[in-house]
């Protein structure tokens, strides 16, 4: 039985990831800073249990801070550091802890949950977008370093996902978000989990160093020079 680690496991996407991987027959170790989880840790600084990290075959780095809102010209050093320390440095620390066991067994899957903001930017969230974009360089480098050890490394880039936290946003904000969705809806957490589950599978062994969006076509050019009928 393969063992998967999911960080940020208490959130909407994290919960869906744990449920799907368990349904696929993996043993899942959940990690979060709070909530019902197997490991409670702050990825910025807390030590990670080596005996558990060494058993991980599938590392899903999902933990992130998403609620730092400030335009770049007013963003404080502390706001910047918090997002980068959790979203990028925290991801690196947990992935690094899992790599020795994967390399020894010559099999592994590293999947980092990035964001569409890493490609498109996001007004008011420069630190978040930059931290998620940083994952892309990290994952590409891991793919190079791990290619001879049976380890793949990929990024998944969700757009807006209908998690409980997102659905609690003011209705006016939700209306603006939905108006910009080409498919007229947000992603379901289970849809993100299904993509991650495939990348974690044996069948995905030839997919590495990829940045795979799951955003319903967000960013498509809606301009038309003629009738679509």
């Amino acid at each position: 039985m393969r063992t998967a680690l999911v960080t940020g496991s208490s959130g909407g996407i994290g919960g869906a990831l744990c449920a799907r991987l368990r349904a696929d027959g993996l043993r899942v170790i959940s990690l979060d800073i709070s909530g019902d989880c197997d490991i409670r840790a702050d990825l910025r600084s807390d030590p990670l249990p080596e005996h558990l990290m060494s058993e991980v075959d599938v590392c899903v780095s999902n933990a992130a801070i998403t609620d730092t809102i400030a335009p770049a010209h007013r963003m404080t050093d502390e706001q910047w550091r918090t997002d980068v320390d959790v979203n990028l440095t925290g991801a690196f620390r947990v992935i690094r802890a899992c790599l020795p066991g994967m390399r020894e067994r010559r099999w592994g899957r590293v999947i980092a949950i990035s964001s569409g903001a890493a490609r498109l930017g996001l007004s008011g969230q420069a630190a978040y977008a930059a931290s998620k974009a940083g994952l892309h360089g990290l994952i590409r480098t891991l793919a190079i370093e791990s290619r001879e050890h049976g380890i793949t490394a990929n990024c998944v880039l969700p757009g807006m996902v209908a998690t409980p936290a997102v659905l609690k946003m003011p209705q006016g904000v939700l209306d603006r978000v939905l108006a910009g969705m080409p498919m007229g809806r947000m992603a379901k957490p289970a849809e993100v989990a299904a993509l991650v589950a495939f990348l974690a599978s044996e069948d995905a062994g030839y997919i590495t160093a990829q940045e795979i969006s799951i955003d319903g076509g967000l960013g498509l050019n809606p301009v038309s020079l003629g009738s679509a009928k």
Side-chain angles (χ1 to χ4, degrees):
M1 178 185 291
R2 303 286 191 194
T3 295
L5 172 72
V6 176
T7 69
S9 58
S10 297
I13 294 176
L17 290 168
C18 291
R20 175 57 190 263
L21 293 172
R22 287 191 182 108
D24 284 357
L26 281 75
R27 169 197 176 210
V28 174
I29 301 171
S30 56
L31 185 154
D32 211 317
I33 197 170
S34 61
D36 183 14
C37 54
D38 298 312
I39 303 171
R40 187 166 293 189
D42 185 333
L43 293 180
R44 292 173 293 186
S45 57
D46 286 349
L48 300 171
E50 291 184 14
H51 67 288
L52 288 178
M53 299 297 106
S54 66
E55 299 173 0
V56 173
D57 303 297
V58 177
C59 177
V60 184
S61 176
N62 170 65
I65 288 177
T66 62
D67 54 0
T68 300
I69 311 292
H73 65 283
R74 290 206 301 269
M75 183 169 286
T76 66
D77 289 351
E78 181 60 29
Q79 287 174 316
W80 174 270
R81 277 194 301 268
T82 298
D83 276 25
V84 172
D85 286 353
V86 173
N87 301 352
L88 184 55
T89 303
F92 169 70
R93 292 185 72 237
V94 75
I95 292 168
R96 179 182 61 187
C98 295
L99 285 172
M102 294 181 185
R103 290 169 70 92
E104 181 179 343
R105 290 185 295 276
R106 303 191 67 81
W107 197 98
R109 302 284 187 264
V110 177
I111 304 160
I113 307 301
S114 179
S115 168
R119 282 182 173 164
L120 302 175
L122 188 60
S123 180
Q125 292 189 265
Y128 175 77
S131 65
K132 290 297 191 177
L135 289 174
H136 299 185
L138 170 62
I139 288 297
R140 290 192 198 103
T141 302
L142 289 175
I144 296 167
E145 295 177 351
S146 303
R147 68 191 187 279
E148 296 179 353
H149 297 273
I151 302 168
T152 66
N154 294 287
C155 283
V156 169
L157 285 64
M160 290 298 295
V161 182
T163 63
V166 167
L167 295 177
K168 287 180 182 178
M169 293 192 302
Q171 190 58 48
V173 174
L174 290 174
D175 290 343
R176 289 201 304 273
V177 168
L178 288 172
M181 298 289 102
M183 295 183 71
R185 68 172 180 88
M186 292 183 255
K188 301 172 185 176
E191 291 174 317
V192 178
L195 173 56
V196 170
F198 174 70
L199 292 174
S201 72
E202 299 283 349
D203 290 338
Y206 204 60
I207 301 173
T208 196
Q210 299 304 300
E211 297 152 11
I212 305 172
S213 294
I214 177 166
D215 59 10
L218 189 65
L220 287 173
N221 183 1
V223 176
S224 173
L225 301 181
S227 173
K229 297 181 180 179

